[in-house]
Amino acid sequence: MDLLFTFMQVNEIAWDMTGDKFFLTTGNGTVEVLAYPSLKALDTLTAHTAGCYCIAIDPLGRYFAVGSADSLVSLWDIEEMLCVRTFVKLEWPVRTLSFNHTGEYIASASEDLFIDIANIETGRSIHQIPCRAAMNSVEWNPKSNLLAYAGDDKNKYQTDEGVFRIFGFQSA
């Protein structure tokens, strides 16, 4: 089955944990929520004041998070489709985000020179990983608090080179 749908600008897509809902982030600052398999529009969420670039689903199926060009990360209740919190640590457009395996933490990155790790219940930043350049991707290990991240870094000659690193910590 090959279906074609047209939207203004789709930046990232995600399924919910049940496979019943499909999410699309758009350049209009919205998240389009579709039912699956009918692909009937369930909701259009005005999520941000600028384009929504990335989306991640909490591994427990409670929340989804959206990163935007407005430098904010919004956390949404997946059942109520309501924003419950925003994270405001970054100053550049949010490029990537990921929940850890317990759904307790979220990592987000941009062109800021750090990756922010925040507690989703309190909204507080618990750690920042220093970077020398923009990060393009963050992804938590599905079984432990290991965060892999990749992006463009600077070498000793101050020229760009791709970098991949893994950061780990013990939760309190």
Side-chain angles (χ1 to χ4, degrees):
M1 171 169 44
D2 187 20
L3 299 172
L4 174 66
F5 293 88
T6 308
F7 295 93
M8 290 293 283
Q9 174 185 350
V10 175
N11 291 316
E12 195 164 69
I13 55 178
W15 298 95
D16 74 344
M17 298 305 287
T18 66
D20 296 333
K21 292 179 187 155
F22 194 69
F23 298 83
L24 301 96
T25 62
T26 75
N28 296 338
T30 63
V31 176
E32 302 295 329
V33 185
L34 308 175
Y36 189 81
S38 71
L39 296 178
K40 175 184 175 235
L42 295 176
D43 216 335
T44 296
L45 306 173
T46 302
H48 288 269
T49 60
C52 295
Y53 288 161
C54 50
I55 187 166
I57 307 294
D58 152 41
L60 303 180
R62 304 166 301 170
Y63 303 110
F64 65 94
V66 178
S68 172
D70 62 13
S71 77
L72 300 174
V73 173
S74 58
L75 181 69
W76 295 75
D77 181 294
I78 207 161
E79 292 300 319
E80 301 294 325
M81 295 294 166
L82 293 172
C83 182
V84 296
R85 182 164 294 102
T86 54
F87 302 87
V88 296
K89 292 294 180 186
L90 301 174
E91 294 182 13
W92 289 89
V94 181
R95 292 178 170 206
T96 181
L97 45 86
S98 178
F99 287 95
N100 79 324
H101 70 290
T102 63
E104 183 179 2
Y105 304 116
I106 189 165
S108 56
S110 66
E111 292 181 38
D112 288 285
L113 298 181
F114 62 89
I115 297 167
D116 186 60
I117 299 174
N119 180 293
I120 66 160
E121 294 303 324
T122 66
R124 291 191 179 116
S125 180
I126 62 149
H127 190 75
Q128 291 182 345
I129 303 169
C131 304
R132 292 184 296 201
M135 288 297 112
N136 298 322
S137 184
V138 295
E139 187 67 32
W140 287 97
N141 179 291
K143 295 182 180 178
S144 65
N145 283 329
L146 293 173
L147 180 70
Y149 56 98
D152 301 323
D153 209 338
K154 302 285 184 192
N155 63 23
K156 66 182 179 180
Y157 304 107
Q158 294 302 304
T159 57
D160 288 338
E161 65 182 12
V163 66
F164 163 74
R165 291 191 171 100
I166 298 177
F167 170 82
F169 72 95
Q170 299 293 322
S171 59

